[in-house]
Amino acid sequence: MTTILVIEDDDIVRKLIRKILTQQQYAVLEAAGGHQGVQLALAHQPDLIVCDVMMPGIDGYGVLQKLQAEAATAMIPFVFLTARAEKQDIRQGMRLGADDYLTKPFTKEELLSAIAIRLSKLSSLQQHYSHPDSSSAKAAPQTMPPDLKHDCGDRFSLQETFEAIALTLRRNETTALPLFIVGFERFDRICDDLEPQEIDHLNQAIINRLNQVIQGRGRVICLAMGEFCLVLNRAYVQADTGAIAQKILAAFEQFLTTATEEFFLSVSLGIAEYPQDADNLRDLVAQAQAAQRQAQNLGEPRYQFANAMTPQSYPKGLDLADDLRDAYHQHQLTVHYQPQCQLPGKEMVGAEALLRWEHPLRASILTEEILAIAKPIGLLELLDQFVLTQACRQLRRWANQDHQTFQMAVNLSATQFNQPHFHQDLSHLLIENGLNPANLVLELTESTLLDNAPLTIRRLKAIKTLGVKIVLDDFGLGYSSLAYLKKFPFDFLKLDPSLIRNIHQKSAQQTVVRSLINTAHQQKRLVIAEGVENETELECLQQLNCDRAQGFLLGYPMSAPELEQLLLSKTIFPHDSVIFDAPDP
């Protein structure tokens, strides 16, 4: 008899569900809270779990996390019950690995349908991997069942798939069974603006793209929202596994198209190899996930082998917190400026203000790391204000030197943008420095824009009334669609370096960038390419009608006096004749 565990703190709801299930000849276990539910699940290992989200003690999310941490219960189908129907709540459960979601009040038919679907899938998967005897298991061919190659599975099917392949694997010191974790930058943000059906379409497009790469040589498994697992059906030498990873990266250099949207997703891969990295699935997945996170933190589409991960060789985080506090109070922080040039012609028309810290032991520490250290110690708002104030003062000095149209770009953090009085503070800065507001350019990331979109639009419009310009920064790391972003009043679209790197060698990448530039121009916006590092990239961007460029080819971030020398020369920006020292790695 099929056993279902019901975890629900509301006695009336729990008894009602029990009555419905027993009428359908299910065996029912009951728990009135999360702690009891976890204990019953571990003791009895039911066929399916129905669990309320909002409970005292351990809530439903906590129950799911605890059970997925145990090998005996990790693959049990899990259906959430909730009175909260907000998309972010549903997605939180799905990200943790829930299989379905029912919103209270639900009907008897809805409950039984959800349970029947999950149990039916569970049964079909078990049948696919059941063998009459051990000899037939050993003789199993190294191919996947045809109907399991192209559908997105779940955590149970991952366990079954892995075990079926591992049984047939011949041990060899030079080969290993690769398991890929495929993740996408800002996937949660993308899904925040999609309906559930649209998310399904996006997931299916991702699955289809991955299956085009593996061509029946393995299985695509959905682990959670925005996280996919590839299990190949035989062992490979590491060089061949790396070649497959390169093909996956190349496949996502092109748009993903669904019935209603076009998506460009920045992908990163983590790869763990069985049995070298781990001799069980749970540890293998954990190794691959860690490798994927490290690959994603490197800031561009790439892959990382688990056995090649290296710890940071320098102290980070709280080890530098006290030093950063001292540096701020002792005025040791500086602002550098990286040129932005008009295309074609390479005339310097602006610069981006970037925070720098010359640490006595670490040498130069870049903006991203400074802000990561500052946030948990409450220093972020002070540093944001410091950079904006310094940039406005420097812009005033250059304006007084007859550089009336020179634009200064300043990165605006979400914390700073969401301050209640930011509009007034910005107005005071403009008046205090006597600036032409059009010469100040504020850069915001897409994640900042999409966080509470209606409120964001009102704030942007208020800022725009002052006359300043707005840039959508880091575009290309993952977005819902440029058409969707049309309602946000920004002036510039800044392409992420991952779209620019080696663009002259990649036709698919050129197609993506050309489409973005054309769409931006149709929306009366200018496009800035960030991360231009060689002449061939620059030439390609000019052919694609990009408006501006920024990168090491055109100038490293430099001190105000250094950039001032170039401004005073009143010449076309001489990127080919001026050499700047590269920042220390």
Side-chain angles (χ1 to χ4, degrees):
M1 182 180 289
T2 300
T3 301
I4 298 176
L5 169 61
V6 180
I7 308 174
E8 168 64 71
D9 63 318
D10 188 315
D11 292 340
I12 296 176
V13 174
R14 189 176 69 255
K15 290 176 181 178
L16 177 61
I17 294 174
R18 180 187 63 192
K19 181 178 180 181
I20 293 172
L21 296 181
T22 53
Q23 288 174 348
Q24 301 298 316
Q25 306 304 309
Y26 291 121
V28 180
L29 299 172
E30 295 182 62
H35 287 288
Q36 184 186 9
V38 171
Q39 292 171 355
L40 286 175
L42 293 173
H44 297 276
Q45 297 177 30
D47 298 290
L48 183 140
I49 297 172
V50 177
C51 183
D52 189 21
V53 172
M54 304 302 292
M55 297 184 293
I58 301 178
D59 63 9
Y61 301 133
V63 170
L64 179 56
Q65 288 177 305
K66 284 181 177 293
L67 295 181
Q68 291 200 337
E70 299 293 335
T73 55
M75 305 304 171
I76 296 176
F78 202 98
V79 178
F80 266 134
L81 305 176
T82 182
R84 302 176 64 178
E86 288 84 355
K87 287 192 293 184
Q88 59 266 31
D89 297 311
I90 295 175
R91 282 195 285 272
Q92 181 179 352
M94 294 303 191
R95 282 196 295 270
L96 293 173
D99 297 283
D100 208 340
Y101 228 101
L102 287 176
T103 303
K104 300 175 182 178
F106 51 83
T107 66
K108 172 182 177 180
E109 289 73 22
E110 288 172 338
L111 174 65
L112 293 177
S113 175
I115 291 173
I117 290 171
R118 300 317 308 173
L119 291 176
S120 174
K121 187 169 186 179
L122 176 66
S123 176
S124 65
L125 287 168
Q126 288 172 330
Q127 291 173 14
H128 279 301
Y129 290 101
S130 61
H131 299 285
D133 54 53
S134 59
S135 61
S136 63
K138 293 179 181 177
Q142 289 188 340
T143 57
M144 304 307 299
D147 57 335
L148 289 181
K149 288 179 182 177
H150 304 295
D151 296 326
C152 186
D154 54 22
R155 291 174 181 268
F156 176 82
S157 62
L158 173 59
Q159 180 75 43
E160 296 296 311
T161 299
F162 175 77
E163 290 178 357
I165 298 172
L167 281 173
T168 66
L169 188 67
R170 293 182 179 180
R171 296 296 179 97
N172 188 313
E173 291 184 358
T174 62
T175 63
L177 176 65
L179 182 145
F180 296 75
I181 293 295
V182 184
F184 298 93
E185 184 78 18
R186 300 179 181 175
F187 196 85
D188 289 354
R189 286 291 182 186
I190 296 170
C191 292
D192 281 343
D193 302 294
L194 300 179
E195 296 301 321
Q197 186 177 16
E198 294 174 315
I199 296 173
D200 290 341
H201 291 163
L202 175 57
N203 279 331
Q204 191 59 53
I206 292 170
I207 296 160
N208 293 343
R209 186 67 58 84
L210 291 172
N211 276 314
Q212 289 171 9
V213 175
I214 64 176
Q215 297 181 341
R217 294 174 295 177
R219 178 78 197 283
V220 181
I221 311 290
C222 295
L223 292 185
M225 184 177 293
E227 184 180 52
F228 299 81
C229 180
L230 289 182
V231 184
L232 299 183
N233 58 13
R234 69 175 180 85
Y236 290 83
V237 297
Q238 192 168 90
D240 290 343
T241 300
I244 294 171
Q246 291 283 11
K247 289 181 180 179
I248 294 173
L249 295 180
F252 285 93
E253 290 175 355
Q254 304 178 42
F255 279 107
L256 278 175
T257 303
T258 67
T260 57
E261 297 278 2
E262 281 189 331
F263 302 86
F264 185 81
L265 302 177
S266 182
V267 62
S268 53
L269 311 176
I271 307 168
E273 296 176 301
Y274 171 85
Q276 285 87 333
D277 292 325
D279 61 2
N280 64 84
L281 178 61
R282 179 180 171 186
D283 291 343
L284 199 69
V285 170
Q287 291 268 13
Q289 287 174 327
Q292 187 271 329
R293 287 191 295 269
Q294 187 169 104
Q296 186 169 318
N297 289 337
L298 293 173
E300 61 178 276
R302 63 174 65 205
Y303 65 91
Q304 175 74 56
F305 281 97
N307 58 20
M309 288 192 298
T310 55
Q312 299 290 349
S313 58
Y314 50 81
K316 296 189 71 173
L318 294 178
D319 293 332
L320 291 172
D322 290 339
D323 291 350
L324 180 58
R325 285 193 191 93
D326 292 341
Y328 173 75
H329 292 296
Q330 296 173 15
H331 307 292
Q332 295 173 356
L333 301 177
T334 60
V335 177
H336 282 199
Y337 304 91
Q338 185 170 28
Q340 293 181 350
C341 302
Q342 188 75 30
L343 299 180
K346 313 181 192 72
E347 178 183 4
M348 183 165 58
V349 293
E352 180 180 0
L354 299 166
L355 185 62
R356 287 294 183 268
W357 175 22
E358 293 297 326
H359 190 275
L361 298 179
R362 285 278 311 281
S364 182
I365 299 180
L366 305 184
T367 304
E368 292 78 8
E369 187 175 351
I370 298 173
L371 299 182
I373 299 168
K375 188 172 183 178
I377 62 174
L379 207 56
L380 185 59
E381 291 185 25
L382 292 175
L383 296 186
D384 285 338
Q385 190 60 40
F386 169 75
V387 174
L388 181 59
T389 300
Q390 291 297 111
C392 287
R393 290 173 180 173
Q394 187 60 58
L395 185 59
R396 178 188 63 194
R397 284 193 285 269
W398 286 334
N400 291 339
Q401 294 172 359
D402 201 28
H403 305 295
Q404 304 294 339
T405 60
F406 190 84
Q407 291 186 313
M408 179 73 78
V410 181
N411 288 282
L412 204 61
S413 72
T415 301
Q416 192 173 18
F417 175 71
N418 290 316
Q419 289 175 352
H421 303 295
F422 176 72
H423 176 270
Q424 293 91 327
D425 294 342
L426 181 62
S427 177
H428 291 157
L429 266 178
L430 293 170
I431 295 171
E432 177 184 320
N433 290 283
L435 296 178
N436 177 356
N439 291 343
L440 181 62
V441 182
L442 301 179
E443 298 193 358
L444 296 98
T445 63
E446 181 191 358
S447 60
T448 301
L449 290 181
L450 296 183
D451 187 11
N452 194 342
L455 178 60
T456 296
I457 292 172
R458 290 198 298 271
R459 285 178 171 163
L460 285 174
K461 288 180 177 179
I463 292 173
K464 291 280 290 179
T465 61
L466 299 176
V468 302
K469 302 296 182 182
I470 304 293
V471 174
L472 176 58
D473 195 13
D474 294 339
F475 197 77
L477 284 177
Y479 60 91
S480 50
S481 74
L482 189 53
Y484 171 79
L485 295 169
K486 183 177 180 179
K487 61 184 180 180
F488 293 93
F490 60 89
D491 305 280
F492 295 89
L493 180 70
K494 194 169 189 179
L495 302 180
D496 188 79
S498 64
L499 286 176
I500 307 306
R501 191 172 294 107
N502 297 321
I503 187 173
H504 56 289
Q505 299 173 351
K506 301 178 179 179
S507 59
Q509 201 163 311
Q510 292 175 34
T511 301
V512 170
V513 171
R514 181 185 290 108
S515 175
L516 293 176
I517 291 173
N518 290 341
T519 304
H521 286 170
Q522 290 169 6
Q523 297 176 0
K524 308 301 182 184
R525 291 159 172 166
L526 300 181
V527 179
I528 305 170
E530 185 176 16
V532 181
E533 297 187 358
N534 59 64
E535 193 70 44
T536 47
E537 290 174 348
L538 187 66
E539 291 173 358
C540 183
L541 289 166
Q542 290 182 142
Q543 293 171 4
L544 296 175
N545 296 319
C546 188
D547 302 289
R548 295 185 182 182
Q550 177 181 341
F552 291 164
L553 174 71
L554 303 168
Y556 288 97
M558 63 192 76
S559 66
E562 288 174 310
L563 191 133
E564 196 168 298
Q565 283 186 323
L566 297 178
L567 281 172
L568 292 174
S569 67
K570 297 182 182 296
T571 61
I572 299 299
F573 186 72
H575 77 274
D576 52 353
S577 60
V578 177
I579 300 175
F580 303 103
D581 292 332
D584 294 331

